[in-house]
Amino acid sequence: MRARRQIAADQAKPRTTARTVTVITLGVLGMLAFTGDYIEPYGSPLGQVILAVLLSAYVATLLWMRRMAVAKPLPRFLDLQARNAHHASQRSVPGEKEGGFA
């Protein structure tokens, strides 16, 4: 049980990091938005395109971080269904006799 809690805590670290980066970024951008000098270049059509590219890259990076943070399920050590299916497939090999010799 203790090991499961440790694994869950380790898996939560990348999510926490992504959340923290997002909050800090939004906070800084929110503060800079109140200064007209910073957002002025994004008012032009070219600025809007650049802003869209930058925001798309930021979202893509967050999605990439999320994909890295999601743990792939490991195969079960004591998976009885897979073991039974494996044994059943070995028993039903065509052309093989009961003793294993053709």
Side-chain angles (χ1 to χ4, degrees):
M1 190 63 145
R2 183 177 183 187
R4 286 185 182 179
R5 283 195 305 261
Q6 182 65 35
I7 291 170
D10 287 342
Q11 289 175 345
K13 287 178 185 179
R15 290 189 297 266
T16 304
T17 302
R19 214 175 286 132
T20 303
V21 167
T22 302
V23 168
I24 290 172
T25 303
L26 290 176
V28 169
L29 289 176
M31 288 175 34
L32 291 174
F34 288 116
T35 64
D37 296 338
Y38 184 76
I39 61 169
E40 186 177 330
Y42 298 113
S44 69
L46 178 62
Q48 291 289 307
V49 171
I50 292 172
L51 180 63
V53 168
L54 291 174
L55 288 175
S56 298
Y58 184 73
V59 169
T61 304
L62 286 177
L63 292 173
W64 181 38
M65 286 176 64
R66 180 173 187 241
R67 199 176 91 208
M68 288 189 318
V70 173
K72 294 180 179 89
L74 297 173
R76 304 272 316 222
F77 182 67
L78 297 174
D79 191 356
L80 296 178
Q81 289 178 345
R83 193 174 99 199
N84 290 340
H86 175 72
H87 288 305
S89 69
Q90 285 183 340
R91 279 185 256 142
S92 63
V93 175
E96 190 173 300
K97 292 185 179 179
E98 188 66 32
F101 297 101

